[in-house]
Amino acid sequence: MTALLQVEQLEVVYQRAITAVQGISLVVQPNQIVALLGTNGAGKSTTLRAISGFLGLDDARVTEGAVRFKGERIETLSPQDITRRGIVLVPERDKVFPNLTVAENLIANAPRGMTLAERRRLHELVHQYFPKLAELKGREAGYLSGGERQMLAIAGAIVCGPALLLVDELSLGLAPVAVEELTRRLVEIRRELGIAILLVEQSAAVALEIADHGYVLENGRVVLDGDGPRLKSHPDIQEFYLGGSGERRSYRTVKQYRRSRRWYG
Amino acid sequence: MQLYVNIAVLASIYALIACGYVLIYRVSRVLNLAHGELMMLGSYLLLTTASLFTGHPYLAFAAAALLALVVGALVYLFLLRRMTGEMVLAAVLTTVALGILLRGVMVLIWSASQQYPREALGWANPAIALPGGARISTFALLLILSTAAVYLSLFVFLRFSRWGIRMRAAGQNPLLAAQRGISLHGVYALAWGLSTFTGGLAGMLLAMDSGLDGTMVVIGLKAFPAALVGGLDSLVGALLGSLIIAAAEIFLIHHVDPLLSDVVPFLVLIAMLVIRPWGLLGTKEELDRV
């Protein structure tokens, strides 16, 4: 089976000097939820930007490797072209148009090659998944709560008719109840619409709850990967991301763990 | 009464020109300082289409308006498009250079002498008597009606049409707009086309009313304070700013000195910049620190 998304030995350099991603390889199969985990500066968001074509804005570029979507190389395409091929990003910040109403936020999206009937169907579907958006349709997006904004951002991405949804920091700044609701919706969206999801998260607890497969990044490299349940029970993940033992560790012990994590790369 | 009619006519001229400044700024954050020249180009295009379609004045008018729209879109596609992603200052300087270039080219092609497209089209411009003893020329009345129609159309377009909503979206967050598949170049080209169309329309109606020569560009320049006073990213602001500038100008011309005509708009602008730099209805956050 051809992978939906295949990132091969990707290397990204900022301002021709700082290497943020060093030879990352990952695969997303159709209808799969894949989690990309890691601490701040691990290279998660850079990888997502490389896939969605937004590196140029930060004076960064892909210097090595390839990004293939449905078998075709896309790392040199413009963001609009990548969106139109079926990869849609839900960004970490500035995810809605604040001065447009909720309804206008959904209308503004520009899916290519979609009939009016298909567009209507998608609009109805997002209102089924997020009924609150129907209630708030006349409200300006700038006045929505964090959870409502995240709902609108995901709904806006779905209206574009993606085959792959890239979600950057789903849980950032949200209450656990809102995160639980959103992750439940993502699982439904994957199951019912067949949309694959690449989820970038700092919170491993959130991501591994729903991920079929996960990759752990550190210093721009994949140091660990495996299916969701296996990763969740892995001692390093338990210790570093899920707060396993709960006891405070000394620097020496932590350093030892860091070394052991790198062996997986 | 005549005073108020004059204010309405002048405010309409400024408003029709100012909405072009607002459209481009609101969508792409670029100040188009060639707008006055593009407006004048519209009236010269009418002169050409009038001689091309002799005996078909409506066709000549429609062709000139359509050409203005196309010229605007082409200016973006062949010139300003290359500035996307660069500093806004580079784009603004490009419009300054374009304005100077256009002025020279227009003199080369159509000469600097006074010309009258209305005669070429064979239309009369009779004065219409209004209640209260005031009078207004036919084309001045048409200018007021055109301004009302253009603003109404723009409000409907931006509020209810898919492309209008996309233009607003791109103006608010171009990055997110691109992520959502909106073609930024398409939206910007449309904004430039519409802006040059409205400016060109103002130029054509002005030329029909009072003739055409190189000094028309000054009127385009005087509409710039109207857009700024109202707030550069607000169409309602442009209307309000135009009314304020026109009222101040007409009152001072009438009661103090006619020579103040070219000074008043910029005096009002300076006063507004001191008191409220973002304009009456503009967005405060949009203004970069000076």
Side-chain angles (χ1 to χ4, degrees):
Chain A
M1 185 169 60
T2 314
L4 185 66
L5 177 80
Q6 195 159 14
V7 176
E8 298 161 352
Q9 296 295 317
L10 187 75
E11 187 178 281
V12 178
V13 177
Y14 279 86
Q15 293 158 1
R16 299 181 184 192
I18 306 154
T19 308
V21 167
Q22 306 175 52
I24 283 181
S25 294
L26 62 90
V27 174
V28 181
Q29 299 293 353
N31 208 19
Q32 195 181 35
I33 297 182
V34 173
L36 211 53
L37 305 171
T39 50
N40 281 337
K44 310 183 299 289
S45 294
T46 301
T47 307
L48 225 53
R49 279 195 204 116
I51 296 168
S52 55
F54 279 93
L55 283 176
L57 293 165
D58 301 319
D59 195 13
R61 61 192 183 99
V62 174
T63 48
E64 290 283 336
V67 181
R68 290 179 203 277
F69 182 64
K70 295 176 179 172
E72 282 180 48
R73 290 186 72 155
I74 58 163
E75 71 271 10
T76 54
L77 297 182
S78 72
Q80 291 101 313
D81 285 338
I82 291 174
T83 299
R84 284 165 181 179
R85 276 167 195 249
I87 299 179
V88 183
L89 174 68
V90 178
E92 182 186 341
R93 296 188 198 90
D94 299 328
K95 54 189 81 182
V96 295
F97 300 109
N99 295 343
L100 299 190
T101 64
V102 167
E104 287 171 342
N105 260 277
L106 296 176
I107 293 168
N109 301 305
R112 179 177 272 185
M114 216 182 266
T115 63
L116 195 63
E118 283 172 320
R119 267 189 215 160
R120 280 204 185 125
R121 188 183 69 87
L122 281 175
H123 276 259
E124 280 167 19
L125 270 174
V126 295
H127 285 133
Q128 276 174 31
Y129 291 124
F130 305 109
K132 200 159 189 196
L133 293 182
E135 293 167 26
L136 298 168
K137 65 179 179 187
R139 186 176 296 180
E140 279 192 17
Y143 295 112
L144 298 181
S145 69
E148 289 162 351
R149 276 183 200 219
Q150 190 66 282
M151 277 183 206
L152 181 57
I154 295 171
I158 290 169
V159 168
C160 292
L164 173 65
L165 202 60
L166 311 176
V167 184
D168 198 359
E169 303 290 3
L170 178 84
S171 65
L172 195 73
L174 298 184
V177 180
V179 175
E180 198 181 313
E181 163 81 15
L182 286 166
T183 49
R184 203 165 50 234
R185 294 293 172 224
L186 283 184
V187 172
E188 283 174 16
I189 287 163
R190 182 271 295 265
R191 188 177 60 233
E192 291 164 20
L193 302 182
I195 297 172
I197 297 166
L198 180 58
L199 188 62
V200 157
E201 265 290 337
Q202 282 198 46
S203 167
V206 169
L208 294 178
E209 192 63 39
I210 58 170
D212 302 308
H213 198 93
Y215 294 85
V216 181
L217 303 190
E218 193 177 286
N219 295 326
R221 289 195 175 92
V222 175
V223 290
L224 189 63
D225 81 285
D227 59 47
R230 187 191 147 222
L231 273 185
K232 207 172 170 182
S233 60
H234 193 282
D236 278 4
I237 296 289
Q238 286 281 334
E239 183 59 40
F240 281 93
Y241 291 97
L242 302 172
S245 64
E247 66 187 72
R248 208 175 176 83
R249 297 199 163 256
S250 70
Y251 174 72
R252 192 183 170 80
T253 331
V254 172
K255 205 175 155 194
Q256 187 61 36
Y257 267 107
R258 283 189 179 276
R259 204 172 294 141
S260 80
R261 276 202 291 166
R262 289 203 181 93
W263 292 347
Y264 293 97
Chain B
M1 182 64 187
Q2 188 63 50
L3 205 64
Y4 297 112
V5 173
N6 291 348
I7 289 172
V9 173
L10 191 61
S12 299
I13 295 169
Y14 286 159
L16 197 51
I17 303 167
C19 72
Y21 285 114
V22 172
L23 269 175
I24 291 178
Y25 182 80
R26 190 167 155 165
V27 174
S28 63
R29 295 287 172 264
V30 171
L31 280 175
N32 174 19
L33 295 178
H35 193 53
E37 283 80 2
L38 286 166
M39 176 195 88
M40 195 162 72
L41 181 65
S43 49
Y44 277 118
L45 285 173
L46 178 63
L47 205 63
T48 303
T49 55
S51 62
L52 280 175
F53 303 108
T54 319
H56 300 91
Y58 292 106
L59 182 64
F61 210 90
L66 187 70
L67 274 174
L69 190 128
V70 172
V71 165
L74 290 179
V75 164
Y76 174 75
L77 291 172
F78 286 104
L79 196 62
L80 271 297
R81 183 184 168 142
R82 292 168 201 281
M83 298 294 140
T84 309
E86 300 295 328
M87 283 191 311
V88 171
L89 183 65
V92 176
L93 290 176
T94 307
T95 67
V96 173
L98 173 71
I100 296 166
L101 179 79
L102 279 177
R103 230 179 293 172
V105 168
M106 281 186 278
V107 171
L108 268 176
I109 299 175
W110 289 285
S111 90
S113 59
Q114 181 94 9
Q115 303 190 64
Y116 298 93
R118 184 160 47 82
E119 285 172 8
L121 289 167
W123 275 340
N125 189 22
I128 299 163
L130 296 173
R135 295 175 77 80
I136 186 169
S137 70
T138 308
F139 278 99
L141 182 64
L142 209 59
L143 224 154
I144 294 175
L145 295 176
S146 301
T147 304
V150 162
Y151 270 79
L152 196 66
S153 309
L154 280 176
F155 284 128
V156 171
F157 171 72
L158 291 170
R159 184 86 196 158
F160 300 109
S161 79
R162 193 175 287 274
W163 272 94
I165 293 170
R166 280 177 193 159
M167 275 177 82
R168 285 162 59 209
Q172 280 176 41
N173 188 344
L175 195 61
L176 184 62
Q179 282 163 0
R180 293 296 154 82
I182 297 172
S183 162
L184 290 182
H185 291 311
V187 164
Y188 293 160
L190 181 63
W192 273 85
L194 287 176
S195 163
T196 311
F197 169 78
T198 55
L201 186 65
M204 286 179 232
L205 290 169
L206 260 174
M208 294 295 280
D209 194 38
S210 50
L212 164 64
D213 64 16
T215 57
M216 186 186 266
V217 79
V218 177
I219 300 170
L221 207 61
K222 280 163 70 182
F224 185 55
L228 276 165
V229 164
L232 255 181
D233 60 344
S234 165
L235 277 174
V236 181
L239 266 180
L240 201 61
S242 302
L243 199 62
I244 290 169
I245 297 269
E249 191 175 332
I250 296 285
F251 273 117
L252 286 170
I253 288 173
H254 191 76
H255 294 295
V256 185
D257 188 342
L259 288 175
L260 283 171
S261 166
D262 290 346
V263 180
V264 177
F266 298 96
L267 274 178
V268 178
L269 173 63
I270 289 170
M272 180 54 77
L273 287 174
V274 170
I275 300 163
R276 199 178 158 89
W278 55 94
L280 288 171
L281 301 178
T283 313
K284 193 175 177 181
E285 288 79 15
E286 301 298 342
L287 194 83
D288 289 331
R289 190 158 288 282
V290 178

